[in-house]
């Protein structure tokens, strides 16, 4: 089963958890268990899982700023755009999480989140569920 | 089919290969081939695949130390904890590997490994197998 | 269904898009939709998705050069080899992308690409398709 989620981002760079929206889709799935693949269809946003909140999201954005160096990008578009491509491909744009009884098998502190690196925009995330 | 593996870690930071434990689970699977999804249910540990041994594990831990910068973390817990969140989400907490005839289709030098960033602890890894 | 793609690389470090070769395999798949798992069986190459072209590939290689620090690697082989292990495990060696009607559900600017970090070589990529 393939479905999609729309996420409106509000800032240039932002971390947006959306575990709840994924589980709303799992509500409609008949299979008792399986794997949920989460894929973002953009080149300036990424998907990851981890702790969000208590400042961790700002920490993550600052760490990405420091990790991707300030090189002279060759990319024809504006340099911040090139930076967003690098950050997105490094974090990753696909994530697979097992589920059971309509819940993702996340740990207590884990959330699935979108990393916006070139907002604000409307982002499309594909949710694919298989046995 | 969903199963799980418990991994006891012994150090603050450590790389622990566990391909063998995954293939013990594949022994019990009837399907001839498919994909095995490996997911760690924690926010201060990660899963990856690569060469382990001959010093590569220590190299990897040192590289992570250098990559994640020494910023003033906002996260309410202790700074080393925040560092572990960043390292874990960057490396990733999910991995999908094809299998055939009860073996992961790894290359000669590839091992699946856990990266412990806040041990020693007992870690739970979910193994989900689908066609 | 499990198949494989051979990719000849020509340089020491290189980015090679191969979305087309994956979709050639999807042509032979009967399922209307599902997930395609792409896995590289090597420890000195990686798989990612993102924008390729207009200089972005050279940008990405330079960013990786800057990200992985010039430490004294313990790994018994030559240091550039150790560097390639670190780069590969950090970017990742597995990628799952949903598909529908024989096409990967990529965004307009997304390409699946191999990152060669120790070429030139012949690389094997496993393609596994499941419902």
């Amino acid at each position: 089963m393939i479905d999609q989620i729309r996420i409106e981002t509000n800032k240039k760079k932002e971390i947006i958890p959306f575990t709840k929206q994924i589980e709303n889709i799992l509500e409609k799935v008949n299979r008792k268990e399986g794997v949920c693949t989460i894929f973002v269809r953009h080149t300036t946003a990424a998907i990851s899982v981890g702790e969000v909140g208590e400042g961790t999201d700002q920490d993550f954005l600052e760490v990405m700023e420091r990790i991707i160096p300030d090189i002279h990008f060759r990319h024809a578009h504006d340099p911040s755009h090139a930076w967003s491509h690098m950050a997105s491909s490094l974090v990753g744009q696909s994530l697979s999480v097992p589920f059971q009884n309509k819940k993702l098998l996340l740990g207590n502190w884990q959330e699935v989140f979108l990393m916006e690196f070139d907002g604000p925009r409307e982002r499309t995330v594909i949710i694919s569920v298989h046995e």
Side-chain angles (χ1 to χ4, degrees), chain A residues 52-64:
Chain A
V52 182
E54 294 190 63
T56 308
D57 49 344
Q58 288 305 311
D59 287 341
F60 213 131
L61 293 174
E62 186 176 342
V63 163
M64 292 308 297

Side-chain angles (χ1 to χ4, degrees), chain A residues 40-46 81-89 93 117-118 123:
Chain A
V40 62
R41 302 186 76 188
H42 305 277
T43 55
T44 53
H81 209 186
W83 185 94
S84 310
H85 291 315
M86 306 297 111
S88 302
S89 291
Q93 296 171 325
F117 292 125
D118 190 41
R123 299 301 196 170

Side-chain angles (χ1 to χ4, degrees), chain A residues 64-108:
Chain A
M64 292 308 297
E65 290 279 1
R66 302 278 195 104
I67 286 176
I68 312 285
D70 187 24
I71 64 169
H72 177 76
F73 289 107
R74 293 164 191 83
H75 188 267
H77 298 92
D78 73 286
S80 74
H81 209 186
W83 185 94
S84 310
H85 291 315
M86 306 297 111
S88 302
S89 291
L90 193 63
V91 173
Q93 296 171 325
S94 179
L95 176 73
S96 294
V97 184
F99 70 91
Q100 213 164 32
N101 302 325
K102 302 177 190 304
K103 296 285 173 196
L104 295 175
L105 287 173
L106 297 170
N108 285 340

Side-chain angles (χ1 to χ4, degrees), chain A residues 3 10 22 37 42 70 74 76 83 94 97 101 109 115 120 122 127 129:
Chain A
D3 205 336
N10 300 302
I22 300 167
T37 298
H42 305 277
D70 187 24
R74 293 164 191 83
W83 185 94
S94 179
V97 184
N101 302 325
W109 305 101
M115 298 185 82
E122 193 189 62
I127 306 297
V129 176

Side-chain angles (χ1 to χ4, degrees), chain A residues 1 29 31-36 99 128-131:
Chain A
M1 192 271 292
V29 172
R31 289 169 174 173
K32 194 181 168 296
E33 61 183 37
V35 169
C36 179
F99 70 91
S128 178
V129 176
H130 42 272
E131 192 192 352

